[in-house]
Amino acid sequence: MTTHATQPFEGQKPGTSGLRKKTPVFMQPNYLENFIQATFDAIGGVAGKVLVLGGDGRYFGAEAAQVILKMAAAGGAARVIVGQGAWLSTPAASNLIRRRGADGGLILSASHNPGGPNEDFGVKYNMANGGPAPEAVTEAIFARTKVITEYAKLEAPDVNLTMPGESRLGAMVVEVVDPVADYADMMEEIFDFNALRGLFHTGFTMRMDSMCAITGPYAVEIFENRLGAPRGTVAHEVPLPDFGGMHPDPNPTWAHALMAEMMAEDGPDFGAASDGDGDRNMILGRGTYVSPSDSLAVIAANAHLVPGYAEGLKGVARSMPTSAAVDRVAAALGIDCYETPTGWKFFGNLMDAGRVSLCGEESFGTGSDHVREKDGLWAVLMWLNIIAARGQSVAEIMADHFARFGRNYYSRHDYEALPSDQANAMLDDLRDRMDGLKGKTYQGLTVESSDEFSYTDPVDGSVSARQGFRILFAGGSRVVLRLSGTGTEGATLRVYLERYAPGPEGLAEDPQQALAPIVAATEEIVGIRARTGRTGPDVIT
Ligand code: G16
């Protein structure tokens, strides 16, 4: 074991989900080592502990895994359970931590951000419950990064991670496991695989786009091998270090090839995509795009049809910018609905306390208390199971849902890579004017209330302030604005737009048209285009 002197790096502050930076930043001498040592220090060391380690296969992941193994060995860890090839999807890592009773885990991913030598890399620490470290822990890690002076590493050859089995690194056991098997087994426990096999047997067609990222091997095993979907159902199924140049973010902009296929008249019955590390999902039917907020609401309304949730949901939770569609379902079911800040880490306490069993976010994240991460393939299986049980198409299920609950028209407009100073100044200015908006009318919409969201965790009482600006208009429309916490270039402004239509009329409008008045009012209030010089958003979901 050797101890290396080091100096703090600026800006090693974990964001919405771990530390994400450009790959060359992570590859600087000592950069990764500092962050890992700071993490180990912040959790009270790793001596005697069992950790899980894996990632989405992106560039630098395999090298980073070797560094982390050697540092864990130097720290006295008892065992590290690693996915073969250093691969683990985020939900599979969460599952392994829980099943194996590990003390925590490290996930090597920048999620939906592109990968490669000049793209993005990231590291995230998860707790013993399998969920992302809460703010108290990420703040402790950040504090350590600012004062770090040395790190410890075992000097040893790289560990062979290509085959399942056990080896030793010093006194530490390195256990390489099949990254897919445990996860696929868990899915068989939750879903009615017989019904799903029957669905594919009758000629139901599906396209799963794994976007050259980590879900490929999982999706092939589950859909093609275990459920009998035809070979080739899963596209872009081989994980590549640069995701084949794809931007592995399952939304209409980045999964455009899938969108085109699904919108064609002869498209498959069902389509889905997932992201770099497998925790996000996009759901499509032939000619139908399901917004993530609506997907959450439909899953909540139909979960009882799925064996794993046959006894009903304990409660549901959504992030604040997510639409209120699921709130209406919760009210109808008579269960609690919680509103949390953006970030899956805020759901963990609610699930651990048994208050909720289903959570979701507008950012293409849906999941349940089967793990403590959002879970892309789980969401796809939920939809398949619901389709099999109801015997309806995606379009029919959506139409029924809107007829029953009304429709929350919803869209997110992203302005990417804005100069940080400009974006901060724009929102600081809005903060100063927040209190004066009430009662004023913009483009025909009158502001009913406006505030900056602050969250008090109902389980541990911790407070998270400054979690986004909310402007509510008379009639139930609203706009939310916040800066992304996952970007690596400048600032990304997210503008979340929502309008409720109770029905029975007006349930089949184009969402962008339905939301145009709110876009116009937001421009008058905030002046996004005027201040940034942009003519429109870079991404529309
Ligand atoms: C992460 C978080 C999510 C969050 C999303 C967007 O997703 O886990 O909870 O909703 O980022 O966050 P932001 O709006 O701050 O960019 P992922 O899939 O990147 O891990």
Coordinates of all heavy atoms in Angstrom, one line a residue, residues 71-112:
M71 N -7.9 1.2 -4.3 CA -8.1 2.1 -3.2 C -9.0 1.5 -2.1 O -8.8 1.7 -0.9 CB -8.8 3.4 -3.7 CG -7.8 4.3 -4.5 SD -8.4 5.9 -5.0 CE -8.5 6.7 -3.4
A72 N -10.0 0.7 -2.5 CA -10.8 0.0 -1.5 C -10.0 -1.0 -0.8 O -10.1 -1.2 0.4 CB -12.0 -0.7 -2.2
A73 N -9.1 -1.7 -1.5 CA -8.2 -2.7 -0.9 C -7.3 -2.0 0.1 O -7.1 -2.5 1.3 CB -7.3 -3.4 -1.9
A74 N -6.7 -0.8 -0.3 CA -5.9 -0.1 0.7 C -6.6 0.4 1.9 O -6.1 0.5 3.0 CB -5.3 1.1 -0.1
G75 N -7.9 0.7 1.7 CA -8.8 1.1 2.8 C -9.2 0.0 3.7 O -10.0 0.2 4.7
G76 N -8.9 -1.3 3.3 CA -9.2 -2.4 4.2 C -10.6 -3.0 3.9 O -11.2 -3.7 4.8
A77 N -11.2 -2.7 2.8 CA -12.5 -3.3 2.5 C -12.4 -4.8 2.5 O -11.4 -5.4 2.1 CB -13.1 -2.8 1.1
A78 N -13.5 -5.5 2.9 CA -13.5 -6.9 3.0 C -13.8 -7.5 1.6 O -13.1 -8.5 1.3 CB -14.6 -7.4 4.0
R79 N -14.7 -6.9 0.9 CA -15.1 -7.6 -0.4 C -15.7 -6.5 -1.3 O -16.4 -5.6 -0.8 CB -16.2 -8.6 -0.1 CG -16.8 -9.3 -1.3 CD -17.9 -10.3 -0.8 NE -17.3 -11.5 -0.2 CZ -17.0 -12.6 -0.8 NH1 -17.4 -12.8 -2.0 NH2 -16.5 -13.6 -0.1
V80 N -15.4 -6.6 -2.6 CA -16.1 -5.8 -3.5 C -16.7 -6.7 -4.6 O -16.0 -7.6 -5.2 CB -15.1 -4.8 -4.2 CG1 -15.9 -3.9 -5.3 CG2 -14.5 -3.8 -3.2
I81 N -18.0 -6.5 -4.8 CA -18.7 -7.3 -5.7 C -18.8 -6.5 -7.0 O -19.4 -5.4 -7.0 CB -20.1 -7.6 -5.2 CG1 -20.1 -8.3 -3.9 CG2 -20.9 -8.5 -6.2 CD1 -21.4 -8.3 -3.1
V82 N -18.2 -7.0 -8.1 CA -18.1 -6.2 -9.3 C -18.8 -6.9 -10.4 O -18.8 -8.1 -10.6 CB -16.6 -6.1 -9.8 CG1 -16.4 -4.9 -10.8 CG2 -15.6 -5.9 -8.6
G83 N -19.5 -6.1 -11.2 CA -20.2 -6.6 -12.4 C -19.1 -7.0 -13.4 O -18.1 -6.3 -13.6
Q84 N -19.3 -8.2 -14.1 CA -18.3 -8.6 -15.1 C -18.1 -7.5 -16.1 O -19.0 -6.9 -16.6 CB -18.9 -9.8 -15.8 CG -18.0 -10.6 -16.7 CD -18.7 -11.8 -17.3 OE1 -19.8 -12.2 -16.9 NE2 -18.1 -12.4 -18.3
G85 N -16.8 -7.3 -16.4 CA -16.4 -6.2 -17.3 C -16.6 -4.8 -16.7 O -16.6 -3.8 -17.5
A86 N -16.8 -4.8 -15.4 CA -17.1 -3.5 -14.7 C -18.5 -3.0 -15.2 O -18.7 -1.8 -15.1 CB -16.0 -2.5 -14.9
W87 N -19.4 -3.9 -15.6 CA -20.7 -3.5 -16.1 C -21.7 -3.7 -15.0 O -21.8 -4.8 -14.4 CB -21.1 -4.3 -17.3 CG -20.6 -3.9 -18.6 CD1 -19.7 -2.9 -18.8 CD2 -20.8 -4.5 -19.8 NE1 -19.4 -2.8 -20.2 CE2 -20.1 -3.9 -20.8 CE3 -21.6 -5.7 -20.2 CZ2 -20.1 -4.2 -22.2 CZ3 -21.6 -6.0 -21.6 CH2 -20.8 -5.3 -22.5
L88 N -22.5 -2.7 -14.7 CA -23.8 -2.9 -14.0 C -24.7 -1.8 -14.3 O -24.2 -0.6 -14.3 CB -23.5 -2.8 -12.4 CG -23.0 -4.1 -11.7 CD1 -22.7 -3.7 -10.2 CD2 -24.0 -5.3 -11.8
S89 N -25.9 -2.0 -14.7 CA -26.8 -0.9 -14.8 C -27.1 -0.3 -13.4 O -26.9 -1.0 -12.4 CB -28.2 -1.4 -15.5 OG -29.0 -2.0 -14.5
T90 N -27.5 0.9 -13.4 CA -27.8 1.5 -12.1 C -28.8 0.8 -11.3 O -28.6 0.5 -10.1 CB -28.2 3.0 -12.3 OG1 -27.0 3.7 -12.7 CG2 -28.7 3.6 -11.0
P91 N -30.0 0.4 -11.8 CA -30.9 -0.4 -11.0 C -30.4 -1.8 -10.6 O -30.7 -2.3 -9.5 CB -32.2 -0.5 -11.9 CG -31.8 -0.1 -13.3 CD -30.6 0.8 -13.1
A92 N -29.5 -2.4 -11.5 CA -29.0 -3.7 -11.1 C -28.0 -3.5 -10.0 O -27.9 -4.4 -9.1 CB -28.3 -4.3 -12.3
A93 N -27.2 -2.4 -10.0 CA -26.3 -2.1 -8.8 C -27.1 -1.9 -7.6 O -26.8 -2.5 -6.5 CB -25.5 -0.9 -9.1
S94 N -28.2 -1.2 -7.6 CA -29.0 -1.0 -6.5 C -29.6 -2.3 -5.9 O -29.6 -2.6 -4.7 CB -30.2 -0.1 -6.8 OG -31.0 0.2 -5.7
N95 N -30.0 -3.2 -6.9 CA -30.5 -4.5 -6.5 C -29.4 -5.3 -5.8 O -29.6 -6.0 -4.8 CB -31.0 -5.2 -7.7 CG -31.5 -6.6 -7.4 OD1 -32.3 -6.8 -6.5 ND2 -31.1 -7.6 -8.2
L96 N -28.2 -5.3 -6.4 CA -27.1 -6.1 -5.8 C -26.8 -5.6 -4.4 O -26.5 -6.5 -3.5 CB -25.8 -6.0 -6.7 CG -25.5 -7.1 -7.7 CD1 -24.2 -6.8 -8.3 CD2 -25.6 -8.5 -7.0
I97 N -26.7 -4.3 -4.2 CA -26.4 -3.8 -2.9 C -27.4 -4.4 -1.9 O -27.1 -4.8 -0.8 CB -26.5 -2.3 -2.9 CG1 -25.3 -1.7 -3.7 CG2 -26.4 -1.7 -1.4 CD1 -25.4 -0.2 -4.0
R98 N -28.7 -4.3 -2.2 CA -29.7 -4.8 -1.3 C -29.7 -6.3 -1.1 O -29.8 -6.8 0.0 CB -31.1 -4.4 -1.9 CG -31.3 -2.9 -1.9 CD -32.5 -2.5 -2.7 NE -33.8 -2.9 -2.0 CZ -34.3 -2.2 -1.0 NH1 -33.7 -1.2 -0.5 NH2 -35.4 -2.7 -0.5
R99 N -29.6 -7.0 -2.2 CA -29.7 -8.5 -2.1 C -28.5 -9.0 -1.3 O -28.6 -10.0 -0.6 CB -29.7 -9.2 -3.5 CG -30.9 -8.8 -4.2 CD -31.6 -10.1 -4.8 NE -32.9 -9.7 -5.2 CZ -33.8 -10.4 -5.8 NH1 -33.5 -11.6 -6.1 NH2 -35.0 -9.9 -6.1
R100 N -27.3 -8.4 -1.5 CA -26.1 -8.9 -0.9 C -25.9 -8.3 0.5 O -24.8 -8.6 1.1 CB -24.9 -8.8 -1.8 CG -25.1 -9.5 -3.1 CD -25.0 -11.0 -3.0 NE -23.8 -11.4 -2.3 CZ -22.7 -11.7 -2.9 NH1 -22.6 -11.7 -4.2 NH2 -21.6 -12.0 -2.1
G101 N -26.7 -7.4 0.9 CA -26.5 -6.7 2.2 C -25.2 -5.9 2.2 O -24.6 -5.8 3.3
A102 N -24.8 -5.4 1.1 CA -23.6 -4.6 1.0 C -23.7 -3.3 1.8 O -24.8 -2.8 2.1 CB -23.2 -4.3 -0.4
D103 N -22.6 -2.7 2.1 CA -22.6 -1.5 2.9 C -22.8 -0.3 2.0 O -23.2 0.8 2.4 CB -21.3 -1.3 3.6 CG -21.1 -2.4 4.7 OD1 -21.7 -2.3 5.7 OD2 -20.3 -3.3 4.4
G104 N -22.6 -0.5 0.7 CA -22.8 0.6 -0.3 C -22.3 0.2 -1.6 O -21.9 -0.9 -1.8
G105 N -22.2 1.2 -2.5 CA -21.8 0.9 -3.9 C -21.3 2.1 -4.6 O -21.7 3.2 -4.3
L106 N -20.5 1.9 -5.6 CA -20.0 3.0 -6.5 C -20.4 2.7 -7.9 O -20.2 1.6 -8.4 CB -18.5 3.1 -6.4 CG -18.0 3.7 -5.1 CD1 -16.8 3.0 -4.6 CD2 -17.9 5.2 -5.2
I107 N -21.1 3.6 -8.5 CA -21.6 3.5 -9.9 C -20.9 4.4 -10.8 O -20.8 5.6 -10.5 CB -23.1 3.7 -9.9 CG1 -23.8 2.7 -9.0 CG2 -23.7 3.6 -11.4 CD1 -25.3 2.9 -8.9
L108 N -20.3 3.9 -11.8 CA -19.5 4.7 -12.8 C -20.3 5.0 -14.0 O -20.5 4.2 -14.9 CB -18.2 3.9 -13.2 CG -17.4 3.3 -12.0 CD1 -16.3 2.4 -12.5 CD2 -16.9 4.4 -11.1
S109 N -20.8 6.2 -14.0 CA -21.7 6.6 -15.1 C -22.0 8.1 -15.0 O -21.9 8.7 -14.0 CB -23.1 5.9 -14.9 OG -24.0 6.4 -15.8
A110 N -22.2 8.7 -16.2 CA -22.8 10.0 -16.3 C -24.2 9.9 -16.9 O -24.6 10.8 -17.6 CB -21.9 10.9 -17.1
S111 N -24.8 8.8 -16.6 CA -26.2 8.5 -17.0 C -26.5 8.8 -18.4 O -26.0 8.2 -19.3 CB -27.1 9.4 -16.0 OG -28.4 9.0 -16.2
H112 N -27.4 9.8 -18.7 CA -27.9 10.0 -20.0 C -26.9 10.9 -20.8 O -27.2 11.2 -22.0 CB -29.2 10.7 -20.0 CG -29.2 11.9 -19.1 ND1 -29.1 11.9 -17.8 CD2 -29.2 13.2 -19.5 CE1 -29.0 13.1 -17.3 NE2 -29.1 14.0 -18.3

